[in-house]
Amino acid sequence: VIASVTKQSIPEKENDKSQSAVKVFLDLSSSNSYEQNIDGVYIASEKLFDLNKPSQSFENLVLKIVDSAVTFPGNQVLVKLADMSEGMGKVRGTLRLLHQKNLFEPIAEALDFARHKKGLTNIHVVIPFVRGVNELLQIKRELAVKKLMRKNSLQIWMEICTPENIINLEDYLIAGIDGVVLNLDELVSFLNGFDNTQEEM
């Protein structure tokens, strides 16, 4: 579940769905349980796209994105670009996407297909594990080449994973993002100095 703060609105009728200042996003990355009373959907593409099975996993990713956007036409569907990690300190996140085309290209193609060929404009992009503003600007340029640039119908969100992201949040906002996703597991790991992928820690 992802929560983001938004303006509170008051229902006009008693039968209207009650609303609050918190939006609840359903993570459908590895689940097929569709709930109706949600505000949006979150899909982490690294849980669906497998570099060892590129063709099969690409089809699964496209199906999941399209199915989610069709099932919830009035809700945002946030698709996070793959953040494949090989352990603490290894190349991952946006830096890996910028340098590994066989990881970035299929996910960008899936988003392009869903948005432009299927006309599903409720799909938006989340940029993962950014180490600096320059990385954010570079990945936005790569997305723009794929016709996935920021506009009224396409929001660019950023995953906040490191203390640096919070310290320099104003710079990221100036660089051009529409929202943030707080990855609390990553933030706690960096603040306390442990690897959250190691169960015994």
Side-chain angles (χ1 to χ4, degrees), residues 166-186:
I166 295 174
I167 292 167
N168 296 315
L169 185 56
E170 186 177 352
D171 295 333
Y172 288 107
L173 292 170
I174 292 169
I177 56 173
D178 296 287
V180 297
V181 176
L182 291 172
N183 189 327
L184 297 179
D185 289 340
E186 294 279 3

Side-chain angles (χ1 to χ4, degrees), residues 28 43 50 64 88-89 91 123 133 139 162 166 186 199:
L28 290 181
I43 298 170
D50 186 349
K64 176 68 76 174
M88 207 90 162
V91 177
I123 298 168
V133 177
I139 197 72
T162 69
I166 295 174
E186 294 279 3
E199 291 183 8

Side-chain angles (χ1 to χ4, degrees), residues 92-135:
R92 59 175 287 201
T94 297
L95 186 61
R96 184 169 180 178
L97 288 166
L98 289 168
H99 290 89
Q100 190 171 356
K101 296 301 179 188
N102 67 334
L103 178 60
F104 173 75
E105 297 277 347
I107 299 166
E109 188 180 332
L111 288 165
D112 177 59
F113 174 81
R115 282 190 56 86
H116 300 126
K117 296 212 169 110
K118 289 293 184 179
L120 300 168
T121 55
N122 59 330
I123 298 168
H124 306 284
V125 181
V126 179
I127 297 173
F129 201 86
V130 180
R131 292 171 181 81
V133 177
N134 286 338
E135 275 190 12

Side-chain angles (χ1 to χ4, degrees), residues 21-41:
V22 174
K23 284 189 174 183
V24 178
F25 283 65
L26 179 65
D27 187 348
L28 290 181
S29 307
S30 52
S31 168
N32 288 320
S33 84
Y34 293 110
E35 300 288 336
Q36 292 304 316
N37 297 322
I38 61 168
D39 298 299
V41 173

